[in-house]
Amino acid sequence: MASFALAAPAQAERIKDMGQFQGLRANQLTGYGIVVGLAGTGDDSLDYSTLGMKGAVSRFGLTLPPGVNPALKNAAAVMITAELPPFAKPGQRLDVTVSAMGKAKSLRGGTLVLAPLYGADGQIYAMVQGNLVIGGLGVDAADGSKLTVNVPSSGRIAGGATVERSVDTGFASASYLTFNLHQFDATNAKRVTDAINAAIPGTASMIDGASIAIRAAGNGDERMRLMSQIENLGVQRAEPPAKVIVNARTGTVVINGAVRVGTAAVTQGKLSVSIKESPTVVQPAPFSRGQTAIEPSSDISVEEDYRPVMLVQPTASLSELVDAINRMGVPPGDLVAILEALSQAGALTAELVII
């Protein structure tokens, strides 16, 4: 279990760290391709790898005879993924991730053949080709022994894709810019709106607890200057809702600084039951025609730890709450049970979230 208790004085944060402008987002691109040049670690005779290779070589006027199924040990079918950043223009370069789809053991030393990258609308937005950089290693020995380091079936091509089409964000034509907070919070939305209006009077208004409309006019240069000015304004972030996060799989407990505990009495006991088996071998008397037998022998003991009731005083800060928890000296599993019980008793002023 890990309990993190960080208390720091409040300080102003930049608006750009609290959210982002609507429409200025990355777009996911995906594609299918063939990696060639592998050292016998490809897909072998996988059907869609063979079909992909036939399609690739057909662009150069080479047609394989019907019924021919080449064993492509030096080629592999792969999926290609990339992100198209906002305002990306044709000719700019993108990094791509290439991952094996089939039985390829390693893509080390491979070269991706020219392949298109598609957006969610089915249009081609980039073309990709290049040599893969693999961070993993896989080795097979003649006796069946294997050694794998990291993931050799996935790699990257830095700057391997070229943008062919840009995405229209509507940035220059919209009459308003919309700023969306990362998390819904009416207080933060009000403070961001007030900070913008203090710097540029009559510009911003709240749409809801997560979005702020900012009146914008002029061309792209004026709008970008306005965005830059707004992003660097300082805002005092509101204190978040009180929450206790419990990870049931790892036993991790995270408590934020808004949590408070009321008066409560807590006791925690432990009951241990121990069963010790000590079987003995019983030998028959000589010439009695008896058989050797095992005689069971069990020793059961019960032990219960006594722990006095502890009075938890109302806390005014996170550090006081952590001190109270440490004084209890309970293991992680019991700590989670105590927090749940305090929540049910109404003594824990926080939302208990179990993930």
Side-chain angles (χ1 to χ4, degrees), residues 17-350:
D17 298 324
M18 302 176 64
Q20 63 181 17
F21 284 93
Q22 183 172 303
L24 308 186
R25 54 178 292 270
N27 292 275
Q28 287 70 37
L29 305 179
T30 57
Y32 169 85
I34 298 293
V35 172
V36 298
L38 304 178
T41 58
D43 286 333
D44 200 357
S45 59
L46 208 59
D47 289 341
Y48 53 80
S49 177
T50 303
L51 291 175
M53 181 56 69
K54 287 182 178 180
V57 299
S58 66
R59 298 201 298 263
F60 306 103
L62 176 62
T63 303
L64 296 179
V68 174
N69 188 16
L72 301 174
K73 285 189 175 182
N74 293 340
V78 295
M79 287 297 296
I80 312 163
T81 58
E83 280 196 354
L84 184 68
F87 302 117
K89 298 299 187 293
Q92 292 183 339
R93 312 289 293 187
L94 304 177
D95 297 340
V96 300
T97 300
V98 180
S99 305
M101 295 176 57
K103 301 185 295 183
K105 299 177 181 179
S106 174
L107 300 180
R108 180 175 291 274
T111 299
L112 178 66
V113 179
L114 184 66
L117 295 180
Y118 297 87
D121 56 358
Q123 300 293 324
I124 296 177
Y125 285 88
M127 299 295 293
V128 57
Q129 179 173 281
N131 298 325
L132 274 72
V133 177
I134 306 298
L137 173 66
V139 179
D140 293 349
D143 62 352
S145 302
K146 296 181 180 181
L147 174 63
T148 302
V149 179
N150 296 333
V151 184
S153 58
S154 179
R156 299 265 299 175
I157 305 178
T162 304
V163 177
E164 301 292 335
R165 181 198 302 264
S166 60
V167 177
D168 183 13
T169 61
F171 168 76
S173 58
S175 57
Y176 282 86
L177 297 176
T178 302
F179 185 83
N180 296 322
L181 299 177
H182 291 316
Q183 295 179 336
F184 171 85
D185 192 303
T187 303
N188 282 332
K190 176 182 179 301
R191 293 183 179 182
V192 170
T193 304
D194 292 344
I196 296 174
N197 285 329
I200 313 170
T203 301
S205 61
M206 286 189 293
I207 300 175
D208 50 41
S211 301
I212 297 140
I214 303 168
R215 187 167 59 249
N219 54 25
D221 178 77
E222 294 176 350
R223 290 178 177 232
M224 290 305 300
R225 292 180 182 275
L226 175 64
M227 289 174 56
S228 175
Q229 182 181 358
I230 292 173
E231 285 183 340
N232 289 283
L233 294 176
V235 174
Q236 186 70 48
R237 184 188 290 268
E239 189 175 19
K243 286 187 179 182
V244 176
I245 312 297
V246 177
N247 190 319
R249 295 181 296 275
T250 64
T252 303
V253 179
V254 178
I255 305 171
N256 72 1
V259 174
R260 302 290 183 268
V261 175
T263 304
V266 178
T267 182
Q268 181 265 343
K270 181 178 181 182
L271 181 67
S272 300
V273 179
S274 175
I275 302 176
K276 182 180 181 181
E277 298 288 349
S278 302
T280 58
V281 179
V282 179
Q283 295 288 353
F287 306 106
S288 63
R289 296 184 180 180
Q291 295 181 351
T292 302
I294 297 178
E295 181 178 352
S297 176
S298 302
D299 182 17
I300 301 177
S301 62
V302 179
E303 180 181 354
E304 184 175 7
D305 293 344
Y306 169 74
R307 295 188 180 182
V309 177
M310 174 173 289
L311 179 63
V312 179
Q313 299 292 343
T315 62
S317 66
L318 179 58
S319 60
E320 294 176 1
L321 174 59
V322 172
D323 291 340
I325 292 174
N326 290 334
R327 286 197 303 270
M328 294 181 187
V330 296
D334 293 338
L335 174 59
V336 173
I338 290 174
L339 290 173
E340 290 179 345
L342 287 173
S343 178
Q344 292 295 324
L348 183 65
T349 309

